[in-house]
Amino acid sequence: MRVVSPPGRTDEVLETLESCTGVTNIAVLPGAARLPKGDLIFCDLARESANTVIGRLKWLEAEGSMAVEQVDLSISRVSEEAKEDAPGEGDDAVIWEELRQRVQGDSRITWAYLAFFAIATQLAGIGVLLNSPILIVGAMVLGPEFGAVAAICFGLTLRRWHLIGSSSVTLIVGFSVGIAVTFACALVSSWLGWVNHSMLELNAEVQFIVLPDKFSFIVALLAGVAGVLSVTAGKSSSLVGVFISVTTIPAAGYAAVAVALADWGAVGGAAAQLAINISGMVLSGTATLIVQRTFWPQVGQSAGRGGKSSV
């Protein structure tokens, strides 16, 4: 953690850090900070203690600054002792302020977000036309929709209605753009004679895209739990598996192509699959965050000695 403290309150910051379990390697550079002006403080803290420390130093948001970075390698006996003293396991700890900033960033509509959505949906559309599981899996991995889903789960857990609304808009706009672009490309391709109705007949390997059943909902529930756990624990490699397990993007791609070919009967199954996946992930993802909040209740609750968390 790097802290810029107003000179008159540095002793207060140091007292807070020294009183928190799991904090070590505290160093102070008086007057080193220029913008904002103040004293520069460095320390190492166990992930399990992050919520407590951040909560008790939240006032620095207005009077100084605070930044937290992940340490990839630490060779120190005192650091190991600090981690052992901190309650729980680091991989289980949820740093709520970090999660808040991450989901807020993922819930914004950007050109990159829309581009990824459009490309992923087009790949999915081509994949279903060619009955290619490889292209469909590639589209699943490329799809950026889970960030907005996680933001909705976070908003539901903490009752942040504005975040729920903005994230829902982001999700709707993303799918709308992806489907619109894929529809336009499929329509032009049909005029050129490159695609036809017979190509919408899926083989057994990819029929799960448009034939939702009880297992589709179960998979969505499991994906929601795994996705939230991977986001809160910082396990990005696990998040890739979540992308591959749900068929939101392939369903959207199939629906876009079906509309372009005026095969309205095929649209219903894809739309149902899309709705099942989104609702299942939101339901289980929110439940997972509620459970994690029960075990790591620093949000709006007592943060230990000397103060309360306002994360």
Side-chain angles (χ1 to χ4, degrees):
M1 173 179 282
R2 182 183 72 249
V3 173
V4 175
S5 170
R9 305 196 67 176
T10 298
D11 289 341
E12 180 182 348
V13 174
L14 293 175
E15 182 181 352
T16 299
L17 293 175
E18 292 169 355
S19 67
C20 291
T21 303
V23 180
T24 188
N25 294 331
I26 302 173
V28 183
L29 299 176
R34 289 292 181 266
L35 189 65
K37 292 184 177 181
D39 300 328
L40 189 58
I41 303 172
F42 294 96
C43 69
D44 293 339
L45 64 154
R47 182 180 177 88
E48 307 92 298
S49 303
N51 285 316
T52 299
V53 176
I54 293 173
R56 293 176 63 178
L57 295 178
K58 188 68 173 179
W59 56 267
L60 281 166
E61 185 175 3
E63 300 183 40
S65 77
M66 176 171 43
V68 181
E69 299 176 3
Q70 179 71 35
V71 177
D72 295 325
L73 176 63
S74 176
I75 303 175
S76 168
R77 180 178 58 82
V78 293
S79 295
E80 292 299 322
E81 291 176 350
K83 288 192 290 185
E84 291 176 1
D85 292 339
E89 295 293 333
D91 285 346
D92 295 332
V94 181
I95 304 178
W96 293 98
E97 183 66 25
E98 176 188 45
L99 180 59
R100 180 187 67 80
Q101 292 190 7
R102 179 169 182 175
V103 298
Q104 283 184 339
D106 290 340
S107 65
R108 296 189 180 98
I109 300 175
T110 64
W111 288 111
Y113 171 81
L114 296 178
F116 276 120
F117 232 119
I119 294 171
T121 310
Q122 288 182 81
L123 283 176
I126 296 172
V128 297
L129 287 172
L130 300 180
N131 277 298
S132 172
I134 294 178
L135 284 177
I136 292 174
V137 170
M140 291 176 176
V141 175
L142 192 59
E145 74 278 12
F146 190 79
V149 172
I152 294 173
C153 296
F154 183 84
L156 288 171
T157 301
L158 300 184
R159 299 180 182 179
R160 304 285 178 85
W161 310 118
H162 176 73
L163 179 60
I164 296 171
S166 62
S167 303
S168 299
V169 170
T170 298
L171 199 62
I172 293 171
V173 170
F175 275 110
S176 298
V177 170
I179 291 174
V181 172
T182 304
F183 164 78
C185 293
L187 189 63
V188 172
S189 297
S190 68
W191 292 341
L192 296 175
W194 295 353
V195 299
N196 53 63
H197 287 82
S198 64
M199 298 178 72
L200 286 175
E201 298 179 3
L202 303 179
N203 59 33
E205 294 181 348
V206 294
Q207 282 185 349
F208 62 92
I209 296 173
V210 292
L211 295 176
D213 54 18
K214 57 181 179 296
F215 293 108
S216 299
F217 188 64
I218 293 173
V219 169
L221 291 176
L222 295 174
V225 174
V228 167
L229 289 176
S230 64
V231 170
T232 56
K235 304 293 185 181
S236 58
S237 58
S238 301
L239 196 56
V240 175
V242 175
F243 294 156
I244 298 175
S245 61
V246 291
T247 57
T248 50
I249 293 294
Y254 184 89
V257 174
V259 172
L261 296 177
D263 191 343
W264 307 109
V267 177
Q273 182 72 278
L274 181 60
I276 288 173
N277 282 323
I278 296 296
S279 60
M281 286 192 293
V282 169
L283 179 63
S284 62
T286 303
T288 302
L289 282 176
I290 291 174
V291 171
Q292 290 180 302
R293 190 184 180 194
T294 301
F295 287 97
W296 297 95
Q298 286 83 353
V299 179
Q301 299 184 25
S302 177
R305 292 169 288 181
K308 291 188 177 181
S309 171
S310 56
V311 176

